[in-house]
Amino acid sequence: MEDLVIRDADVVDGSGADSYRADVLIDGGRIVTIVKEAAAAGCQRPKAVRELDAEGLVLAPGFIDMHAHSDLALLRDPDHSAKAAQGVTLEVLGQDGLSYAPVDEPTLEGVRRAITGWNGPGDDVDFDWRSVGEYLDRLDHGFDGRGIAVNAAYLVPQGTVRALVVGWEDRPAAPRELDRMRALVAEGLEQGAVGLSSGLTYTPGMYAENAELGELCAVVARYGGYYCPHHRSYGAGALEAYAEMVELTAKAGCALHLAHATMNFGVNEGRAPELLALLDEALDSGADISLDTYPYTPGCTTLAALLPGWASEGGPAETLRRLADDATAERIRHELEVTGADGCHGVPVDWETVEISGVRDPALGDFVGRTVRASADRLGEAPWTTARRLLIDDGLGPTILQHVGHEENVRAIMRHRVHTGGSDGVLTGAKPHPRAYGTFPRYLGHYTRELGILTLEECVARLTGRPAARLRLPDRGLVREGYRADLVLFDPRTVAAGSTYESPRTLPTGIPHVLVDGRFVIEDGRRTDVLAGRAVRRSPV
């Protein structure tokens, strides 16, 4: 007898096709049999050791978070309900060009300091890996050899590779350095990475010229991976930045996946159709392009990310030194507030839109949940004075929500034919962005059931089958016989995000069961002790 039969489920299979009623049998971590309309047909009902009555529930593939920042969270938090409770069964890590492999000791130290706002300092993590393969092995091992909460794939982070080879300096790579970077990207892909990411408003990745990026993308293309850039502007130069990535990958022959594809700031209000027209033209010409978005208007990053690129050259220690110097700090302020820094996407910063969401030092907790301007007014000082002191006192640790998005752009982009879902969820900080805990139920509840922006079948396909196709996973992302039993059961009438800006860590409702590898990680709405997740490695070309 099989391990489990899920009876009378409304199957939304991840392909975009119409739903159907079925019994689904699971054995050995895979879907072994699907019997459609078993009860109505009067046929012999399949039997298993265990039965689950799914009457009134939708059975779908587990959701794939195409843009996750759980690189350390999966290793430090065996519960990981932030994602598991949403129905997420696979996360794509190594985003925005900065993560923890491949590294040597100095590079690891610099990266840890640079992205402490995303993942925390990592003092509670044993960094016992250096290569991409060793990091994936560490994910496999997880907690006491038992694994991790959900599965994880990895992108080779271009900024980390550049830091390892070139350093944190703003200069072109020498020929021998470019050779080594190409070799490191190839090695990471051979060891199981699914592609390459960049953070082209973050140092040191932003210092790479397009010719350098194109050389790395050509390597990715040979391995059948994809390039996932956080491109050079989501603000004043957004359309040009999108076009730049489309052209770059076309020349390299590389698949392109646009990270958190938004059109933000006042200069881009109502301009999503221009972006979609650009993408449609490229797609119609044969380009291989996809994108992901989160279903919210504010962005989330670190306060230090807003600084001009030159202010961060040389790494975090140099950034802090420049901030401590009054003359240099005044130059930074002028670029931020008057001319528009590249870190703030070429738009002069509006401190009223910059909300502190987390700090490393608990003594600075009073700033959390307030905008920089509100804190400055409370202290009777200029906003830059407040921001500068926070950066220095917290060692570049503060994270922020940046309230610069537009709802009409969010809705237009999520309707596009190559759209997928990604949370871009930062799990650290006292008040993280609610997207970390709410992205997937918000798509299903708010945008599908309440607003009707997507049909249920369309929404599920964007969260499952389409991402799996981009990742080139041959046996995930669909409810099919022979496929892995990474599955979610949810109530389409009640599924909703519980997280809000006031209570961002509230878990969702309407998702009673989640299975990873055929085992319940969420059962009757509660987290079990199962750690069935593993590293998901790139499929050979």
Side-chain angles (χ1 to χ4, degrees), residues 11 21-22 30 39 63 80 144 148 157 164 171 175 258 297 300-301 329 336 359 383 397 414 465 474 486 492 496 521:
V11 177
R21 179 66 65 90
R30 292 188 180 270
F63 304 135
H80 203 52
D144 300 325
I148 49 181
L164 178 58
R171 64 173 177 82
L258 296 164
T297 52
C300 175
T301 187
L336 272 171
V359 290
M414 76 168 62
D486 294 343
V521 296

Side-chain angles (χ1 to χ4, degrees), residues 69-260:
H69 288 287
S70 303
D71 306 52
L72 298 185
L74 279 167
L75 296 175
R76 67 156 65 97
D77 176 18
D79 182 78
H80 203 52
S81 288
K83 295 300 180 66
Q86 293 186 60
V88 172
T89 59
L90 172 61
E91 300 183 86
V92 185
L93 313 178
Q95 300 288 349
D96 296 327
L98 287 168
S99 189
Y100 305 96
V103 292
D104 57 13
E105 288 293 336
T107 302
L108 176 60
E109 177 60 27
V111 168
R112 287 179 62 180
R113 293 187 66 181
I115 56 175
T116 187
W118 295 355
N119 299 310
D123 295 338
D124 53 349
V125 175
D126 181 9
F127 289 89
D128 56 354
W129 66 83
R130 292 296 176 265
S131 70
V132 169
E134 290 168 346
Y135 175 66
L136 296 178
D137 290 343
R138 182 71 169 82
L139 291 173
D140 280 337
H141 184 270
F143 299 92
D144 300 325
R146 294 185 297 139
I148 49 181
V150 302
N151 298 308
Y154 189 72
L155 296 164
V156 179
Q158 171 258 330
T160 299
V161 169
R162 198 172 211 273
L164 178 58
V165 177
V166 180
W168 298 78
E169 292 76 34
D170 182 1
R171 64 173 177 82
R176 67 181 182 282
E177 292 171 331
L178 183 55
D179 287 343
R180 188 176 178 215
M181 285 192 285
R182 281 193 296 248
L184 285 168
V185 171
E187 181 181 84
L189 291 161
E190 289 172 356
Q191 292 171 351
V194 295
L196 175 75
S197 77
S198 282
L200 300 179
T201 64
Y202 300 130
T203 57
M206 68 188 306
Y207 301 141
E209 298 175 351
N210 282 357
E212 177 182 316
L213 297 174
E215 290 287 338
L216 301 184
C217 284
V219 175
V220 175
R222 290 202 303 272
Y223 285 89
Y226 68 92
Y227 181 46
C228 181
H230 165 127
H231 50 271
R232 298 190 192 275
S233 177
Y234 291 83
L239 283 174
E240 294 81 1
Y242 280 113
E244 179 184 37
M245 295 298 101
V246 170
E247 180 181 1
L248 185 153
T249 49
K251 288 181 178 178
C254 183
L256 173 64
H257 181 84
L258 296 164
H260 40 58

Side-chain angles (χ1 to χ4, degrees), residues 185-505:
V185 171
E187 181 181 84
L189 291 161
E190 289 172 356
Q191 292 171 351
V194 295
L196 175 75
S197 77
S198 282
L200 300 179
T201 64
Y202 300 130
T203 57
M206 68 188 306
Y207 301 141
E209 298 175 351
N210 282 357
E212 177 182 316
L213 297 174
E215 290 287 338
L216 301 184
C217 284
V219 175
V220 175
R222 290 202 303 272
Y223 285 89
Y226 68 92
Y227 181 46
C228 181
H230 165 127
H231 50 271
R232 298 190 192 275
S233 177
Y234 291 83
L239 283 174
E240 294 81 1
Y242 280 113
E244 179 184 37
M245 295 298 101
V246 170
E247 180 181 1
L248 185 153
T249 49
K251 288 181 178 178
C254 183
L256 173 64
H257 181 84
L258 296 164
H260 40 58
T262 59
M263 294 286 288
N264 288 340
F265 301 91
V267 294
N268 289 316
E269 186 172 3
R271 297 187 70 188
E274 296 176 60
L275 166 62
L276 302 182
L278 167 70
L279 298 181
D280 282 335
E281 182 180 358
L283 288 162
D284 292 344
S285 298
D288 184 358
I289 301 173
S290 55
L291 58 86
D292 67 69
T293 70
Y294 46 83
Y296 298 85
T297 52
C300 175
T301 187
T302 64
L303 184 59
L306 304 185
L307 301 176
W310 60 262
S312 298
E313 184 181 1
E318 285 298 300
T319 305
L320 289 167
R321 183 188 62 78
R322 293 184 181 102
L323 287 167
D325 179 76
D326 288 343
T328 308
E330 172 57 22
R331 182 184 167 199
I332 293 171
R333 182 207 65 79
H334 185 270
E335 194 160 332
L336 272 171
E337 297 183 347
V338 179
T339 63
D342 49 6
C344 198
H345 307 277
V347 178
V349 67
D350 177 0
W351 293 113
E352 185 59 37
T353 68
V354 180
E355 176 187 351
I356 303 300
S357 60
V359 290
R360 184 166 55 182
D361 184 352
L364 301 172
D366 284 348
F367 291 94
V368 174
R370 304 176 191 266
T371 67
V372 171
R373 180 168 292 282
S375 289
D377 290 347
R378 182 168 59 95
L379 294 170
E381 61 190 20
W384 168 241
T385 302
T386 302
R388 178 190 177 192
R389 184 170 60 251
L390 264 173
L391 287 165
I392 293 172
D393 291 352
D394 205 39
L396 308 181
T399 51
I400 63 169
L401 304 187
Q402 199 167 11
H403 297 270
V404 292
H406 305 285
E407 180 66 20
E408 70 274 24
N409 286 347
V410 170
R411 295 186 188 188
I413 294 169
M414 76 168 62
R415 290 189 183 104
H416 194 263
R417 52 177 160 153
V418 298
H419 169 264
T420 69
S423 71
D424 196 12
V426 172
L427 301 172
T428 60
K431 295 188 72 174
H433 197 303
R435 68 194 186 193
Y437 284 72
T439 286
F440 296 87
R442 183 169 169 83
Y443 267 121
L444 294 165
H446 182 61
Y447 284 99
T448 297
R449 182 183 64 245
E450 295 175 4
L451 299 180
I453 301 299
L454 303 169
T455 69
L456 183 59
E457 289 83 357
E458 288 172 337
C459 183
V460 169
R462 283 158 164 75
L463 307 181
T464 61
R466 191 175 293 170
R470 165 52 71 217
L471 296 169
R472 298 182 68 249
L473 302 178
D475 58 357
R476 299 177 193 267
L478 298 173
V479 179
R480 291 280 194 275
E481 292 180 355
Y483 274 57
R484 294 204 178 254
D486 294 343
L487 301 166
V488 57
L489 289 117
F490 63 89
D491 187 337
R493 300 160 297 185
T494 63
V495 61
S499 59
T500 64
Y501 294 102
E502 293 74 27
S503 300
R505 288 193 169 89

